[in-house]
Amino acid sequence: MLVDSHCHLDRLDLSLYGGSLDAALDAARARGVGHFLCIGVSAENAATVKALAGRYPDVGCSVGIHPLDLKPDEGTDLEWLIQEVAHPQVVAIGETGLDYHYEPQAAERQQASFRLHLEAARETEKPVVVHTREAREDTLRLLREAALPRAGVLHCFTEDWAMAKAALDLGFYISLSGIVTFRNAEALREVARQIPADRLLVETDAPYLAPIPYRGKPNLPQYVREVAEFIADLRGVDFDRFAQDTTDNFFRLFYPNGRPPRG
């Protein structure tokens, strides 16, 4: 069994499946994907991801505001985050974090929102899903300051081993996406070889960042198998063992009280 630990089911291109999310999920299940984490990115899509998680027993969700979804005239509401996390299908806070690649001018606003997400994670003891791009020092500084009782995951990791090691030292997991299969990603592949087996997750980030051989096409949860097969081969380990390890890691992080029933 595999887990797609980070996907945006409400944004998938379903043209291959006649517009049917059920069919897209069935295609992933047929390739061994047994669970999906549908990620919240804004206040507007929180209801949608919760509804999807309630509809499918093998789908969980998170709620949060992505740094690039912050509105200039609005801040993140701590009370709203804590209230949303109380929903039974919500297993994590985020996706939150810092992205200076697209909006370096919004660094202060992004940091304020990130701090509130981390505070919500601290108060609720839910893991946090972290997005970071070109903001290494500030991301690590804020994570250290937060001193979370339960850490979380740096998703779609693209940084170097030094940052990975720093995050691991803080108790975080590292999730790798289809980017690791890209031809220009040798530095990331070196990181993938070094992450401890008990701290590694796999994801698609669908509909974005489809792995080779689907690069340039809409990504789908079923392609998490390509990601997992590639990394298992890269690490020189048996695929079934790798799939089991990453699945166990996912449930240890997001479902500490036991795996949910599959219906």
Side-chain angles (χ1 to χ4, degrees):
M1 172 175 159
L2 287 165
V3 173
D4 186 352
S5 69
H6 191 111
C7 53
H8 302 275
L9 299 181
D10 55 324
R11 297 185 173 189
L12 297 184
D13 181 340
L14 298 172
S15 56
L16 286 177
Y17 299 103
S20 171
L21 178 58
D22 285 24
L25 294 177
D26 281 344
R29 295 174 185 128
R31 302 196 70 210
V33 185
H35 201 85
F36 312 82
L37 185 58
C38 184
I39 302 297
V41 296
S42 68
E44 288 73 21
N45 90 322
T48 300
V49 299
K50 288 187 296 183
L52 287 171
R55 177 177 168 187
Y56 303 101
D58 54 359
V59 174
C61 70
S62 70
V63 292
I65 302 178
H66 190 287
L68 299 180
D69 282 89
L70 291 169
K71 296 179 180 179
D73 57 342
E74 292 182 5
T76 301
D77 188 326
L78 179 61
E79 291 186 8
W80 174 80
L81 279 170
I82 292 174
Q83 179 180 344
E84 289 293 302
V85 169
H87 188 280
Q89 305 299 334
V90 176
V91 299
I93 291 174
E95 144 180 26
T96 181
L98 305 174
D99 191 317
Y100 298 168
H101 177 78
Y102 288 110
E103 294 186 0
Q105 74 283 0
E108 185 174 336
R109 186 156 44 89
Q110 288 185 16
Q111 289 179 32
S113 176
F114 192 19
R115 284 192 179 95
L116 286 176
H117 282 78
L118 294 172
E119 176 60 22
R122 190 181 65 80
E123 292 188 21
T124 62
E125 297 190 9
K126 294 285 189 180
V128 61
V129 178
V130 178
H131 169 104
T132 179
R133 188 172 185 187
E134 296 183 17
R136 179 184 312 178
E137 292 183 5
D138 285 345
T139 297
L140 289 173
R141 174 175 56 81
L142 293 179
L143 292 179
R144 290 188 183 106
E145 289 175 0
L148 299 176
R150 286 178 62 197
V153 58
L154 269 59
H155 104 92
C156 194
F157 191 81
T158 56
E159 301 285 348
D160 61 13
W161 173 245
M163 183 171 187
K165 179 64 166 57
L168 291 165
D169 288 346
L170 290 170
F172 276 76
Y173 289 67
I174 303 293
S175 181
L176 298 175
S177 70
I179 292 176
V180 75
T181 72
F182 295 178
R183 292 182 181 87
N184 63 349
E186 184 52 44
L188 182 58
R189 285 190 278 278
E190 186 55 38
V191 173
R193 294 183 183 100
Q194 297 185 67
I195 299 170
D198 63 349
R199 303 288 284 284
L200 179 58
L201 303 178
V202 288
E203 66 173 88
T204 59
D205 204 11
Y208 316 107
L209 304 171
I212 290 173
Y214 304 103
R215 187 175 184 184
K217 299 178 181 179
N219 203 358
L220 291 165
Q222 70 193 61
Y223 299 155
V224 75
R225 187 172 185 103
E226 275 72 18
V227 177
E229 288 177 341
F230 184 92
I231 299 172
D233 183 67
L234 187 69
R235 291 166 67 95
V237 299
D238 174 74
F239 171 75
D240 288 341
R241 178 72 264 169
F242 180 81
Q244 187 64 57
D245 285 346
T246 53
T247 294
D248 289 346
N249 296 343
F250 173 85
F251 285 107
R252 186 186 316 115
L253 175 61
F254 291 108
Y255 294 89
N257 297 320
R259 300 186 183 190
R262 297 185 66 187

